[in-house]
Amino acid sequence: MILVTANQARQLLFLGYIGTVTREELRQCRADLEAELAHLKPGFQLLVDLTHLAAMSTACTDEIGRNMEMLDRCGVGLVVRVIPDPYKDIGMNILTLFHYPHHPRVITCDSMAEGARAVWL
């Protein structure tokens, strides 16, 4: 499951990956992303939480890349990733190099508390 929500006042988009995430779920969440992005301005912040991710196959990387490209086109300014377990990182730094051509600032955190501080600075 992927939870997509936004706080328009804070210009913050949140993506929470929960359980076993499939390629199809990533495709389906694109509509939710588009809906939330319509209310955000360039320079918005993205908080990605992988705390509750159980598994994601490498077949998901192309869909993650497409979502990153959409976020980049919409002007993401800061990407904060919460990855408490390094084994849950499916190569986000490598994907970032190829799918964020405008090079937003990226911060990787070990906890949501640390991630929340990063977006509230």
Side-chain angles (χ1 to χ4, degrees):
M1 173 194 303
I2 304 164
L3 174 63
V4 180
T5 190
N7 180 325
Q8 187 176 354
R10 296 207 48 95
Q11 291 296 293
L12 175 65
L13 178 66
F14 174 80
L15 297 176
Y17 293 84
I18 303 164
T20 300
V21 174
T22 67
R23 186 176 182 176
E24 186 56 34
E25 286 175 318
L26 284 163
R27 276 192 196 119
Q28 291 172 355
C29 94
R30 193 167 299 120
D32 295 335
L33 278 172
E34 289 171 347
E36 295 297 344
L37 286 167
H39 304 289
L40 300 175
K41 299 173 187 164
F44 69 90
Q45 300 177 97
L46 171 64
L47 177 59
V48 179
D49 183 13
L50 301 179
T51 303
H52 302 288
L53 177 69
M56 182 186 304
S57 79
T58 56
C60 293
T61 57
D62 60 336
E63 292 301 322
I64 290 174
R66 284 185 188 96
N67 289 342
M68 285 178 168
E69 290 166 5
M70 179 173 44
L71 293 162
D72 189 69
R73 282 191 305 275
C74 291
V76 64
L78 172 66
V79 177
V80 176
R81 295 184 186 122
V82 178
I83 308 175
D85 180 353
Y87 293 105
K88 293 180 182 179
D89 184 343
I90 63 164
M92 293 292 190
N93 289 332
I94 293 169
L95 288 167
T96 295
L97 292 173
F98 293 100
H99 299 286
Y100 281 128
H102 292 103
H103 307 292
R105 185 170 163 227
V106 177
I107 299 171
T108 301
C109 304
D110 294 328
S111 70
M112 271 301 285
E114 187 182 348
R117 280 192 301 274
V119 296
W120 257 257
L121 292 176

